[in-house]
PDB file of all heavy atoms in Angstrom:
ATOM      1  N   ASN Q 201      52.121  64.362  66.356  1.00 85.00           N
ATOM      2  CA  ASN Q 201      53.393  63.763  66.743  1.00 85.00           C
ATOM      3  C   ASN Q 201      53.694  63.965  68.223  1.00 85.00           C
ATOM      4  O   ASN Q 201      54.165  63.053  68.904  1.00 85.00           O
ATOM      5  CB  ASN Q 201      54.529  64.345  65.903  1.00 85.00           C
ATOM      6  CG  ASN Q 201      54.529  63.810  64.484  1.00 85.00           C
ATOM      7  OD1 ASN Q 201      53.884  62.810  64.185  1.00 85.00           O
ATOM      8  ND2 ASN Q 201      55.231  64.483  63.593  1.00 85.00           N
ATOM      9  N   SER Q 202      53.426  65.169  68.719  1.00 89.00           N
ATOM     10  CA  SER Q 202      53.696  65.454  70.121  1.00 89.00           C
ATOM     11  C   SER Q 202      52.809  64.607  71.032  1.00 89.00           C
ATOM     12  O   SER Q 202      53.279  64.062  72.045  1.00 89.00           O
ATOM     13  CB  SER Q 202      53.465  66.944  70.404  1.00 89.00           C
ATOM     14  OG  SER Q 202      53.663  67.225  71.775  1.00 89.00           O
ATOM     15  N   TYR Q 203      51.538  64.486  70.679  1.00 92.00           N
ATOM     16  CA  TYR Q 203      50.627  63.686  71.492  1.00 92.00           C
ATOM     17  C   TYR Q 203      51.019  62.218  71.466  1.00 92.00           C
ATOM     18  O   TYR Q 203      51.028  61.536  72.504  1.00 92.00           O
ATOM     19  CB  TYR Q 203      49.197  63.857  70.989  1.00 92.00           C
ATOM     20  CG  TYR Q 203      48.168  63.135  71.841  1.00 92.00           C
ATOM     21  CD1 TYR Q 203      47.871  63.588  73.123  1.00 92.00           C
ATOM     22  CD2 TYR Q 203      47.511  62.005  71.361  1.00 92.00           C
ATOM     23  CE1 TYR Q 203      46.934  62.936  73.915  1.00 92.00           C
ATOM     24  CE2 TYR Q 203      46.573  61.345  72.152  1.00 92.00           C
ATOM     25  CZ  TYR Q 203      46.292  61.812  73.422  1.00 92.00           C
ATOM     26  OH  TYR Q 203      45.376  61.161  74.203  1.00 92.00           O
ATOM     27  N   ALA Q 204      51.385  61.723  70.275  1.00 88.00           N
ATOM     28  CA  ALA Q 204      51.812  60.332  70.157  1.00 88.00           C
ATOM     29  C   ALA Q 204      53.085  60.086  70.958  1.00 88.00           C
ATOM     30  O   ALA Q 204      53.246  59.029  71.582  1.00 88.00           O
ATOM     31  CB  ALA Q 204      52.037  59.976  68.688  1.00 88.00           C
ATOM     32  N   ASN Q 205      53.982  61.061  70.961  1.00 86.00           N
ATOM     33  CA  ASN Q 205      55.215  60.937  71.729  1.00 86.00           C
ATOM     34  C   ASN Q 205      54.915  60.848  73.222  1.00 86.00           C
ATOM     35  O   ASN Q 205      55.555  60.087  73.960  1.00 86.00           O
ATOM     36  CB  ASN Q 205      56.128  62.131  71.443  1.00 86.00           C
ATOM     37  CG  ASN Q 205      57.526  61.941  71.984  1.00 86.00           C
ATOM     38  OD1 ASN Q 205      58.124  60.870  71.835  1.00 86.00           O
ATOM     39  ND2 ASN Q 205      58.070  62.960  72.611  1.00 86.00           N
ATOM     40  N   GLY Q 206      53.921  61.620  73.666  1.00 89.00           N
ATOM     41  CA  GLY Q 206      53.518  61.561  75.062  1.00 89.00           C
ATOM     42  C   GLY Q 206      52.942  60.203  75.426  1.00 89.00           C
ATOM     43  O   GLY Q 206      53.235  59.646  76.493  1.00 89.00           O
ATOM     44  N   LEU Q 207      52.126  59.651  74.539  1.00 90.00           N
ATOM     45  CA  LEU Q 207      51.568  58.318  74.780  1.00 90.00           C
ATOM     46  C   LEU Q 207      52.674  57.274  74.859  1.00 90.00           C
ATOM     47  O   LEU Q 207      52.645  56.367  75.697  1.00 90.00           O
ATOM     48  CB  LEU Q 207      50.596  57.948  73.650  1.00 90.00           C
ATOM     49  CG  LEU Q 207      49.263  58.690  73.605  1.00 90.00           C
ATOM     50  CD1 LEU Q 207      48.460  58.240  72.394  1.00 90.00           C
ATOM     51  CD2 LEU Q 207      48.455  58.438  74.883  1.00 90.00           C
ATOM     52  N   PHE Q 208      53.661  57.421  73.967  1.00 88.00           N
ATOM     53  CA  PHE Q 208      54.771  56.469  73.961  1.00 88.00           C
ATOM     54  C   PHE Q 208      55.513  56.503  75.295  1.00 88.00           C
ATOM     55  O   PHE Q 208      55.796  55.459  75.888  1.00 88.00           O
ATOM     56  CB  PHE Q 208      55.732  56.796  72.814  1.00 88.00           C
ATOM     57  CG  PHE Q 208      57.006  55.991  72.862  1.00 88.00           C
ATOM     58  CD1 PHE Q 208      57.030  54.685  72.401  1.00 88.00           C
ATOM     59  CD2 PHE Q 208      58.167  56.535  73.402  1.00 88.00           C
ATOM     60  CE1 PHE Q 208      58.191  53.926  72.463  1.00 88.00           C
ATOM     61  CE2 PHE Q 208      59.331  55.792  73.473  1.00 88.00           C
ATOM     62  CZ  PHE Q 208      59.346  54.486  72.994  1.00 88.00           C
ATOM     63  N   ARG Q 209      55.808  57.707  75.777  1.00 87.00           N
ATOM     64  CA  ARG Q 209      56.551  57.812  77.036  1.00 87.00           C
ATOM     65  C   ARG Q 209      55.736  57.266  78.209  1.00 87.00           C
ATOM     66  O   ARG Q 209      56.293  56.670  79.138  1.00 87.00           O
ATOM     67  CB  ARG Q 209      56.934  59.269  77.293  1.00 87.00           C
ATOM     68  CG  ARG Q 209      58.117  59.737  76.459  1.00 87.00           C
ATOM     69  CD  ARG Q 209      58.475  61.167  76.751  1.00 87.00           C
ATOM     70  NE  ARG Q 209      57.415  62.079  76.314  1.00 87.00           N
ATOM     71  CZ  ARG Q 209      57.457  63.392  76.480  1.00 87.00           C
ATOM     72  NH1 ARG Q 209      58.470  63.941  77.110  1.00 87.00           N
ATOM     73  NH2 ARG Q 209      56.479  64.145  76.047  1.00 87.00           N
ATOM     74  N   ASP Q 210      54.428  57.450  78.165  1.00 90.00           N
ATOM     75  CA  ASP Q 210      53.572  56.967  79.252  1.00 90.00           C
ATOM     76  C   ASP Q 210      53.495  55.441  79.291  1.00 90.00           C
ATOM     77  O   ASP Q 210      53.380  54.852  80.366  1.00 90.00           O
ATOM     78  CB  ASP Q 210      52.156  57.541  79.112  1.00 90.00           C
ATOM     79  CG  ASP Q 210      52.107  59.035  79.418  1.00 90.00           C
ATOM     80  OD1 ASP Q 210      53.055  59.542  80.053  1.00 90.00           O
ATOM     81  OD2 ASP Q 210      51.128  59.685  79.004  1.00 90.00           O
ATOM     82  N   PHE Q 211      53.550  54.814  78.127  1.00 90.00           N
ATOM     83  CA  PHE Q 211      53.345  53.368  78.069  1.00 90.00           C
ATOM     84  C   PHE Q 211      54.543  52.602  77.512  1.00 90.00           C
ATOM     85  O   PHE Q 211      54.431  51.415  77.219  1.00 90.00           O
ATOM     86  CB  PHE Q 211      52.104  53.065  77.219  1.00 90.00           C
ATOM     87  CG  PHE Q 211      50.844  53.677  77.756  1.00 90.00           C
ATOM     88  CD1 PHE Q 211      50.336  54.850  77.220  1.00 90.00           C
ATOM     89  CD2 PHE Q 211      50.166  53.101  78.821  1.00 90.00           C
ATOM     90  CE1 PHE Q 211      49.182  55.427  77.721  1.00 90.00           C
ATOM     91  CE2 PHE Q 211      49.003  53.665  79.333  1.00 90.00           C
ATOM     92  CZ  PHE Q 211      48.512  54.837  78.782  1.00 90.00           C
ATOM     93  N   ALA Q 212      55.684  53.271  77.390  1.00 88.00           N
ATOM     94  CA  ALA Q 212      56.859  52.648  76.776  1.00 88.00           C
ATOM     95  C   ALA Q 212      57.288  51.375  77.493  1.00 88.00           C
ATOM     96  O   ALA Q 212      57.579  50.353  76.851  1.00 88.00           O
ATOM     97  CB  ALA Q 212      58.012  53.645  76.733  1.00 88.00           C
ATOM     98  N   LEU Q 213      57.343  51.413  78.808  1.00 88.00           N
ATOM     99  CA  LEU Q 213      57.807  50.251  79.562  1.00 88.00           C
ATOM    100  C   LEU Q 213      56.909  49.041  79.349  1.00 88.00           C
ATOM    101  O   LEU Q 213      57.387  47.897  79.290  1.00 88.00           O
ATOM    102  CB  LEU Q 213      57.891  50.590  81.050  1.00 88.00           C
ATOM    103  CG  LEU Q 213      58.963  51.632  81.436  1.00 88.00           C
ATOM    104  CD1 LEU Q 213      58.915  51.913  82.930  1.00 88.00           C
ATOM    105  CD2 LEU Q 213      60.345  51.161  81.021  1.00 88.00           C
ATOM    106  N   GLN Q 214      55.616  49.283  79.211  1.00 90.00           N
ATOM    107  CA  GLN Q 214      54.696  48.173  78.963  1.00 90.00           C
ATOM    108  C   GLN Q 214      54.909  47.560  77.583  1.00 90.00           C
ATOM    109  O   GLN Q 214      54.558  46.410  77.348  1.00 90.00           O
ATOM    110  CB  GLN Q 214      53.251  48.667  79.087  1.00 90.00           C
ATOM    111  CG  GLN Q 214      52.905  49.208  80.469  1.00 90.00           C
ATOM    112  CD  GLN Q 214      51.489  49.742  80.538  1.00 90.00           C
ATOM    113  OE1 GLN Q 214      50.571  49.186  79.943  1.00 90.00           O
ATOM    114  NE2 GLN Q 214      51.290  50.834  81.268  1.00 90.00           N
ATOM    115  N   LEU Q 215      55.486  48.371  76.670  1.00 85.00           N
ATOM    116  CA  LEU Q 215      55.734  47.896  75.313  1.00 85.00           C
ATOM    117  C   LEU Q 215      57.156  47.363  75.133  1.00 85.00           C
ATOM    118  O   LEU Q 215      57.515  46.907  74.059  1.00 85.00           O
ATOM    119  CB  LEU Q 215      55.500  49.041  74.317  1.00 85.00           C
ATOM    120  CG  LEU Q 215      54.088  49.621  74.279  1.00 85.00           C
ATOM    121  CD1 LEU Q 215      54.045  50.861  73.393  1.00 85.00           C
ATOM    122  CD2 LEU Q 215      53.110  48.580  73.769  1.00 85.00           C
ATOM    123  N   GLY Q 216      57.947  47.459  76.207  1.00 87.00           N
ATOM    124  CA  GLY Q 216      59.305  46.946  76.124  1.00 87.00           C
ATOM    125  C   GLY Q 216      60.327  47.950  75.641  1.00 87.00           C
ATOM    126  O   GLY Q 216      61.405  47.563  75.168  1.00 87.00           O
ATOM    127  N   TYR Q 217      60.019  49.240  75.724  1.00 84.00           N
ATOM    128  CA  TYR Q 217      60.950  50.282  75.291  1.00 84.00           C
ATOM    129  C   TYR Q 217      61.349  51.148  76.486  1.00 84.00           C
ATOM    130  O   TYR Q 217      60.719  51.117  77.541  1.00 84.00           O
ATOM    131  CB  TYR Q 217      60.310  51.168  74.221  1.00 84.00           C
ATOM    132  CG  TYR Q 217      59.978  50.451  72.942  1.00 84.00           C
ATOM    133  CD1 TYR Q 217      58.689  50.004  72.688  1.00 84.00           C
ATOM    134  CD2 TYR Q 217      60.958  50.214  71.981  1.00 84.00           C
ATOM    135  CE1 TYR Q 217      58.375  49.346  71.508  1.00 84.00           C
ATOM    136  CE2 TYR Q 217      60.657  49.557  70.797  1.00 84.00           C
ATOM    137  CZ  TYR Q 217      59.370  49.128  70.565  1.00 84.00           C
ATOM    138  OH  TYR Q 217      59.073  48.474  69.403  1.00 84.00           O
ATOM    139  N   GLU Q 218      62.412  51.931  76.299  1.00 82.00           N
ATOM    140  CA  GLU Q 218      62.856  52.851  77.336  1.00 82.00           C
ATOM    141  C   GLU Q 218      61.942  54.079  77.356  1.00 82.00           C
ATOM    142  O   GLU Q 218      61.719  54.702  76.321  1.00 82.00           O
ATOM    143  CB  GLU Q 218      64.300  53.287  77.086  1.00 82.00           C
ATOM    144  CG  GLU Q 218      65.318  52.170  77.246  1.00 82.00           C
ATOM    145  CD  GLU Q 218      65.392  51.660  78.681  1.00 82.00           C
ATOM    146  OE1 GLU Q 218      65.118  52.454  79.606  1.00 82.00           O
ATOM    147  OE2 GLU Q 218      65.698  50.472  78.864  1.00 82.00           O
ATOM    148  N   ALA Q 219      61.463  54.436  78.525  1.00 77.00           N
ATOM    149  CA  ALA Q 219      60.517  55.555  78.629  1.00 77.00           C
ATOM    150  C   ALA Q 219      61.176  56.901  78.374  1.00 77.00           C
ATOM    151  O   ALA Q 219      60.484  57.874  78.057  1.00 77.00           O
ATOM    152  CB  ALA Q 219      59.875  55.561  80.024  1.00 77.00           C
ATOM    153  N   ASP Q 220      62.512  56.981  78.508  1.00 77.00           N
ATOM    154  CA  ASP Q 220      63.166  58.268  78.309  1.00 77.00           C
ATOM    155  C   ASP Q 220      63.558  58.508  76.856  1.00 77.00           C
ATOM    156  O   ASP Q 220      64.266  59.465  76.541  1.00 77.00           O
ATOM    157  CB  ASP Q 220      64.410  58.399  79.196  1.00 77.00           C
ATOM    158  CG  ASP Q 220      65.423  57.281  78.949  1.00 77.00           C
ATOM    159  OD1 ASP Q 220      65.120  56.381  78.150  1.00 77.00           O
ATOM    160  OD2 ASP Q 220      66.510  57.334  79.563  1.00 77.00           O
ATOM    161  N   SER Q 221      63.110  57.638  75.956  1.00 74.00           N
ATOM    162  CA  SER Q 221      63.344  57.865  74.527  1.00 74.00           C
ATOM    163  C   SER Q 221      62.628  59.148  74.121  1.00 74.00           C
ATOM    164  O   SER Q 221      61.553  59.464  74.631  1.00 74.00           O
ATOM    165  CB  SER Q 221      62.802  56.701  73.701  1.00 74.00           C
ATOM    166  OG  SER Q 221      63.451  55.498  74.051  1.00 74.00           O
ATOM    167  N   VAL Q 222      63.223  59.898  73.208  1.00 72.00           N
ATOM    168  CA  VAL Q 222      62.629  61.162  72.792  1.00 72.00           C
ATOM    169  C   VAL Q 222      62.404  61.178  71.288  1.00 72.00           C
ATOM    170  O   VAL Q 222      63.088  60.490  70.531  1.00 72.00           O
ATOM    171  CB  VAL Q 222      63.521  62.363  73.176  1.00 72.00           C
ATOM    172  CG1 VAL Q 222      63.634  62.472  74.686  1.00 72.00           C
ATOM    173  CG2 VAL Q 222      64.901  62.240  72.550  1.00 72.00           C
ATOM    174  N   GLN Q 223      61.443  61.959  70.870  1.00 71.00           N
ATOM    175  CA  GLN Q 223      61.153  62.114  69.453  1.00 71.00           C
ATOM    176  C   GLN Q 223      62.223  62.982  68.812  1.00 71.00           C
ATOM    177  O   GLN Q 223      62.628  64.012  69.355  1.00 71.00           O
ATOM    178  CB  GLN Q 223      59.782  62.772  69.281  1.00 71.00           C
ATOM    179  CG  GLN Q 223      59.358  62.936  67.832  1.00 71.00           C
ATOM    180  CD  GLN Q 223      58.009  63.628  67.730  1.00 71.00           C
ATOM    181  OE1 GLN Q 223      57.505  64.122  68.721  1.00 71.00           O
ATOM    182  NE2 GLN Q 223      57.459  63.670  66.553  1.00 71.00           N
ATOM    183  N   LEU Q 224      62.712  62.572  67.655  1.00 79.00           N
ATOM    184  CA  LEU Q 224      63.733  63.336  66.957  1.00 79.00           C
ATOM    185  C   LEU Q 224      63.145  64.647  66.444  1.00 79.00           C
ATOM    186  O   LEU Q 224      62.067  64.663  65.853  1.00 79.00           O
ATOM    187  CB  LEU Q 224      64.288  62.536  65.774  1.00 79.00           C
ATOM    188  CG  LEU Q 224      65.075  61.266  66.110  1.00 79.00           C
ATOM    189  CD1 LEU Q 224      65.521  60.586  64.824  1.00 79.00           C
ATOM    190  CD2 LEU Q 224      66.284  61.588  66.977  1.00 79.00           C
ATOM    191  N   THR Q 225      63.864  65.729  66.650  1.00 80.00           N
ATOM    192  CA  THR Q 225      63.427  67.012  66.108  1.00 80.00           C
ATOM    193  C   THR Q 225      63.720  67.054  64.610  1.00 80.00           C
ATOM    194  O   THR Q 225      64.482  66.230  64.086  1.00 80.00           O
ATOM    195  CB  THR Q 225      64.163  68.176  66.792  1.00 80.00           C
ATOM    196  OG1 THR Q 225      65.569  68.075  66.490  1.00 80.00           O
ATOM    197  CG2 THR Q 225      63.966  68.128  68.305  1.00 80.00           C
ATOM    198  N   ASP Q 226      63.144  68.030  63.912  1.00 81.00           N
ATOM    199  CA  ASP Q 226      63.399  68.166  62.480  1.00 81.00           C
ATOM    200  C   ASP Q 226      64.887  68.366  62.205  1.00 81.00           C
ATOM    201  O   ASP Q 226      65.439  67.810  61.253  1.00 81.00           O
ATOM    202  CB  ASP Q 226      62.590  69.350  61.923  1.00 81.00           C
ATOM    203  CG  ASP Q 226      61.097  69.094  61.936  1.00 81.00           C
ATOM    204  OD1 ASP Q 226      60.704  67.914  62.037  1.00 81.00           O
ATOM    205  OD2 ASP Q 226      60.324  70.065  61.851  1.00 81.00           O
ATOM    206  N   ALA Q 227      65.534  69.169  63.047  1.00 87.00           N
ATOM    207  CA  ALA Q 227      66.957  69.439  62.852  1.00 87.00           C
ATOM    208  C   ALA Q 227      67.796  68.183  63.041  1.00 87.00           C
ATOM    209  O   ALA Q 227      68.723  67.913  62.269  1.00 87.00           O
ATOM    210  CB  ALA Q 227      67.416  70.523  63.829  1.00 87.00           C
ATOM    211  N   THR Q 228      67.457  67.378  64.051  1.00 89.00           N
ATOM    212  CA  THR Q 228      68.203  66.147  64.305  1.00 89.00           C
ATOM    213  C   THR Q 228      67.996  65.148  63.175  1.00 89.00           C
ATOM    214  O   THR Q 228      68.938  64.458  62.751  1.00 89.00           O
ATOM    215  CB  THR Q 228      67.775  65.522  65.645  1.00 89.00           C
ATOM    216  OG1 THR Q 228      67.965  66.477  66.691  1.00 89.00           O
ATOM    217  CG2 THR Q 228      68.600  64.281  65.950  1.00 89.00           C
ATOM    218  N   GLN Q 229      66.765  65.055  62.678  1.00 89.00           N
ATOM    219  CA  GLN Q 229      66.498  64.163  61.554  1.00 89.00           C
ATOM    220  C   GLN Q 229      67.329  64.561  60.336  1.00 89.00           C
ATOM    221  O   GLN Q 229      67.892  63.709  59.647  1.00 89.00           O
ATOM    222  CB  GLN Q 229      65.010  64.203  61.196  1.00 89.00           C
ATOM    223  CG  GLN Q 229      64.096  63.590  62.238  1.00 89.00           C
ATOM    224  CD  GLN Q 229      62.642  63.654  61.825  1.00 89.00           C
ATOM    225  OE1 GLN Q 229      62.245  63.115  60.789  1.00 89.00           O
ATOM    226  NE2 GLN Q 229      61.824  64.309  62.620  1.00 89.00           N
ATOM    227  N   PHE Q 230      67.412  65.845  60.082  1.00 90.00           N
ATOM    228  CA  PHE Q 230      68.184  66.345  58.941  1.00 90.00           C
ATOM    229  C   PHE Q 230      69.664  66.002  59.118  1.00 90.00           C
ATOM    230  O   PHE Q 230      70.327  65.556  58.176  1.00 90.00           O
ATOM    231  CB  PHE Q 230      67.998  67.851  58.808  1.00 90.00           C
ATOM    232  CG  PHE Q 230      68.566  68.430  57.546  1.00 90.00           C
ATOM    233  CD1 PHE Q 230      67.790  68.531  56.400  1.00 90.00           C
ATOM    234  CD2 PHE Q 230      69.890  68.871  57.490  1.00 90.00           C
ATOM    235  CE1 PHE Q 230      68.316  69.059  55.227  1.00 90.00           C
ATOM    236  CE2 PHE Q 230      70.423  69.390  56.326  1.00 90.00           C
ATOM    237  CZ  PHE Q 230      69.632  69.489  55.189  1.00 90.00           C
ATOM    238  N   GLN Q 231      70.193  66.179  60.317  1.00 92.00           N
ATOM    239  CA  GLN Q 231      71.596  65.891  60.585  1.00 92.00           C
ATOM    240  C   GLN Q 231      71.905  64.405  60.418  1.00 92.00           C
ATOM    241  O   GLN Q 231      72.941  64.032  59.850  1.00 92.00           O
ATOM    242  CB  GLN Q 231      71.965  66.365  61.989  1.00 92.00           C
ATOM    243  CG  GLN Q 231      71.947  67.876  62.164  1.00 92.00           C
ATOM    244  CD  GLN Q 231      72.065  68.308  63.616  1.00 92.00           C
ATOM    245  OE1 GLN Q 231      72.108  67.475  64.513  1.00 92.00           O
ATOM    246  NE2 GLN Q 231      72.125  69.614  63.849  1.00 92.00           N
ATOM    247  N   LEU Q 232      71.013  63.551  60.922  1.00 91.00           N
ATOM    248  CA  LEU Q 232      71.216  62.106  60.789  1.00 91.00           C
ATOM    249  C   LEU Q 232      71.162  61.675  59.327  1.00 91.00           C
ATOM    250  O   LEU Q 232      71.975  60.860  58.881  1.00 91.00           O
ATOM    251  CB  LEU Q 232      70.163  61.354  61.607  1.00 91.00           C
ATOM    252  CG  LEU Q 232      70.331  61.383  63.125  1.00 91.00           C
ATOM    253  CD1 LEU Q 232      69.147  60.701  63.803  1.00 91.00           C
ATOM    254  CD2 LEU Q 232      71.629  60.693  63.532  1.00 91.00           C
ATOM    255  N   ALA Q 233      70.200  62.222  58.584  1.00 90.00           N
ATOM    256  CA  ALA Q 233      70.079  61.872  57.163  1.00 90.00           C
ATOM    257  C   ALA Q 233      71.312  62.350  56.403  1.00 90.00           C
ATOM    258  O   ALA Q 233      71.831  61.644  55.525  1.00 90.00           O
ATOM    259  CB  ALA Q 233      68.809  62.498  56.578  1.00 90.00           C
ATOM    260  N   ARG Q 234      71.788  63.529  56.729  1.00 90.00           N
ATOM    261  CA  ARG Q 234      72.984  64.081  56.063  1.00 90.00           C
ATOM    262  C   ARG Q 234      74.201  63.205  56.335  1.00 90.00           C
ATOM    263  O   ARG Q 234      74.971  62.873  55.419  1.00 90.00           O
ATOM    264  CB  ARG Q 234      73.234  65.505  56.554  1.00 90.00           C
ATOM    265  CG  ARG Q 234      74.346  66.242  55.810  1.00 90.00           C
ATOM    266  CD  ARG Q 234      74.458  67.675  56.326  1.00 90.00           C
ATOM    267  NE  ARG Q 234      75.332  68.465  55.478  1.00 90.00           N
ATOM    268  CZ  ARG Q 234      76.653  68.463  55.562  1.00 90.00           C
ATOM    269  NH1 ARG Q 234      77.252  67.695  56.464  1.00 90.00           N
ATOM    270  NH2 ARG Q 234      77.371  69.216  54.746  1.00 90.00           N
ATOM    271  N   LYS Q 235      74.388  62.811  57.589  1.00 91.00           N
ATOM    272  CA  LYS Q 235      75.522  61.968  57.968  1.00 91.00           C
ATOM    273  C   LYS Q 235      75.463  60.616  57.252  1.00 91.00           C
ATOM    274  O   LYS Q 235      76.466  60.127  56.718  1.00 91.00           O
ATOM    275  CB  LYS Q 235      75.521  61.752  59.483  1.00 91.00           C
ATOM    276  CG  LYS Q 235      76.694  60.938  60.034  1.00 91.00           C
ATOM    277  CD  LYS Q 235      76.628  60.899  61.544  1.00 91.00           C
ATOM    278  CE  LYS Q 235      77.855  60.199  62.128  1.00 91.00           C
ATOM    279  NZ  LYS Q 235      77.914  58.773  61.750  1.00 91.00           N
ATOM    280  N   PHE Q 236      74.258  60.017  57.231  1.00 88.00           N
ATOM    281  CA  PHE Q 236      74.102  58.712  56.583  1.00 88.00           C
ATOM    282  C   PHE Q 236      74.393  58.794  55.086  1.00 88.00           C
ATOM    283  O   PHE Q 236      75.099  57.949  54.529  1.00 88.00           O
ATOM    284  CB  PHE Q 236      72.678  58.196  56.803  1.00 88.00           C
ATOM    285  CG  PHE Q 236      72.407  56.900  56.089  1.00 88.00           C
ATOM    286  CD1 PHE Q 236      72.786  55.692  56.644  1.00 88.00           C
ATOM    287  CD2 PHE Q 236      71.781  56.894  54.843  1.00 88.00           C
ATOM    288  CE1 PHE Q 236      72.554  54.489  55.980  1.00 88.00           C
ATOM    289  CE2 PHE Q 236      71.548  55.703  54.172  1.00 88.00           C
ATOM    290  CZ  PHE Q 236      71.935  54.503  54.744  1.00 88.00           C
ATOM    291  N   LEU Q 237      73.859  59.821  54.431  1.00 85.00           N
ATOM    292  CA  LEU Q 237      74.029  59.937  52.984  1.00 85.00           C
ATOM    293  C   LEU Q 237      75.492  60.187  52.611  1.00 85.00           C
ATOM    294  O   LEU Q 237      76.013  59.573  51.676  1.00 85.00           O
ATOM    295  CB  LEU Q 237      73.141  61.048  52.436  1.00 85.00           C
ATOM    296  CG  LEU Q 237      71.642  60.726  52.385  1.00 85.00           C
ATOM    297  CD1 LEU Q 237      70.846  61.950  51.986  1.00 85.00           C
ATOM    298  CD2 LEU Q 237      71.375  59.594  51.404  1.00 85.00           C
ATOM    299  N   PHE Q 238      76.162  61.050  53.342  1.00 85.00           N
ATOM    300  CA  PHE Q 238      77.550  61.346  53.023  1.00 85.00           C
ATOM    301  C   PHE Q 238      78.463  60.146  53.276  1.00 85.00           C
ATOM    302  O   PHE Q 238      79.496  59.997  52.637  1.00 85.00           O
ATOM    303  CB  PHE Q 238      78.026  62.567  53.812  1.00 85.00           C
ATOM    304  CG  PHE Q 238      77.706  63.875  53.150  1.00 85.00           C
ATOM    305  CD1 PHE Q 238      76.481  64.493  53.358  1.00 85.00           C
ATOM    306  CD2 PHE Q 238      78.601  64.486  52.292  1.00 85.00           C
ATOM    307  CE1 PHE Q 238      76.171  65.690  52.738  1.00 85.00           C
ATOM    308  CE2 PHE Q 238      78.301  65.689  51.660  1.00 85.00           C
ATOM    309  CZ  PHE Q 238      77.076  66.294  51.877  1.00 85.00           C
ATOM    310  N   GLU Q 239      78.062  59.294  54.223  1.00 88.00           N
ATOM    311  CA  GLU Q 239      78.897  58.141  54.543  1.00 88.00           C
ATOM    312  C   GLU Q 239      78.550  56.899  53.721  1.00 88.00           C
ATOM    313  O   GLU Q 239      79.419  56.036  53.514  1.00 88.00           O
ATOM    314  CB  GLU Q 239      78.768  57.806  56.040  1.00 88.00           C
ATOM    315  CG  GLU Q 239      79.354  58.862  56.964  1.00 88.00           C
ATOM    316  CD  GLU Q 239      79.187  58.498  58.424  1.00 88.00           C
ATOM    317  OE1 GLU Q 239      78.501  57.476  58.705  1.00 88.00           O
ATOM    318  OE2 GLU Q 239      79.728  59.214  59.290  1.00 88.00           O
ATOM    319  N   ASN Q 240      77.305  56.803  53.235  1.00 86.00           N
ATOM    320  CA  ASN Q 240      76.873  55.554  52.615  1.00 86.00           C
ATOM    321  C   ASN Q 240      76.317  55.673  51.203  1.00 86.00           C
ATOM    322  O   ASN Q 240      76.119  54.653  50.538  1.00 86.00           O
ATOM    323  CB  ASN Q 240      75.803  54.895  53.499  1.00 86.00           C
ATOM    324  CG  ASN Q 240      76.311  54.610  54.893  1.00 86.00           C
ATOM    325  OD1 ASN Q 240      77.019  53.648  55.127  1.00 86.00           O
ATOM    326  ND2 ASN Q 240      75.919  55.461  55.846  1.00 86.00           N
TER     327      ASN Q 240
END
């Protein structure tokens, strides 16, 4: 995942994405899933 994230940041602009996008950490993923489930 870390290596793939590095590749994404290196070539993001060529793919049409923002290069400063970051990979979600496990904690952030858990928080987002919790928020979505409680709301929806």
